[in-house]
Amino acid sequence: MERLLLVRPDESMEEEIAGYRRDFLATANVIEGSGALAGFADPAAWLAFTRRVETEEGASPIGWVPSLQFVCLRASDGRLVGMLQLRTRFNDFLRKFGGNIGYSVRPGERRKGYAARMLAMALPRAREAGLTRALITCAPDNEGSRRTILKNGGVYESTVYNDRDGVWLMRYWIELAETAPGRDGGADGPGRMR
């Protein structure tokens, strides 16, 4: 099994980040869990943006919530095979539709189990950020993502319709720690950055 590293992106990865973006744009797929990478032709500008939204002060003015950006590298060759974003609290949209964790796998690297492994590596990070459970959503026809969530302990809650994007989304919760009932890591700050 290939060894994977889930790490924070930095300037040494700019070429891989640019290639990841190109691969998604060429296939017209949405780059989930990428901190709006599709909108940044310059990897350095994207890196600056991801650092900005790590804090409440940087995220709130643009309608975001504090978020930690990760990239998943294959250890054998340093190839960027996936991205994952951990959102440490909710706004109204994330509470209903987006959840705490979003992720994507590079189009040419799919069906290798990378998404499930990335999510498994991210769950301890979510606990470290103060979350006691994580909400993850996926489209009903995204069987790969559904299996990824279930493999990591996801429990189905409901299916909701997102008017803004015109899509149905299935909502799953993954319990992260044994704590007081009712703390969902979302609304009022238990998931704030440290």
Side-chain angles (χ1 to χ4, degrees), residues 30-50:
V30 176
I31 316 174
E32 301 290 352
S34 71
L37 178 61
F40 289 91
D42 177 11
W46 176 76
L47 285 165
F49 176 79
T50 64

Side-chain angles (χ1 to χ4, degrees), residues 5-153:
L5 307 169
L6 189 69
V7 298
R8 305 297 299 283
D10 64 35
E11 287 73 15
S12 71
M13 302 170 194
E14 287 184 10
E15 187 175 319
E16 279 297 313
I17 292 165
Y20 192 85
R21 179 180 180 271
R22 276 192 308 274
D23 284 1
F24 270 88
L25 295 178
T27 60
N29 282 288
V30 176
I31 316 174
E32 301 290 352
S34 71
L37 178 61
F40 289 91
D42 177 11
W46 176 76
L47 285 165
F49 176 79
T50 64
R51 291 178 184 133
R52 175 181 169 197
V53 298
E54 289 178 2
T55 66
E56 191 71 44
E57 297 75 26
S60 291
I62 60 170
W64 281 52
V65 300
S67 306
L68 296 174
Q69 185 65 52
F70 295 93
V71 295
C72 184
L73 304 175
R74 189 168 46 216
S76 63
D77 60 5
R79 183 165 175 80
L80 198 163
V81 298
M83 288 197 176
L84 183 140
Q85 186 181 64
L86 171 61
R87 297 172 285 264
T88 59
R89 72 169 181 82
F90 292 146
N91 58 22
D92 288 340
F93 179 82
L94 293 174
R95 183 178 294 108
K96 294 175 190 169
F97 307 115
N100 295 105
I101 300 173
Y103 52 83
S104 60
V105 174
R106 195 174 197 143
E109 300 291 345
R110 293 181 179 159
R111 301 189 192 291
K112 298 178 181 179
Y114 292 160
R117 293 173 60 200
M118 284 170 38
L119 181 54
M121 289 186 286
L123 296 177
R125 309 283 180 100
R127 277 192 296 273
E128 290 168 8
L131 300 181
T132 58
R133 63 183 188 153
L135 174 65
I136 305 173
T137 65
C138 71
D141 63 348
N142 189 339
E143 185 62 23
S145 191
R146 188 181 76 77
R147 283 194 313 258
T148 290
I149 296 165
L150 292 172
K151 186 173 186 173
N152 280 281

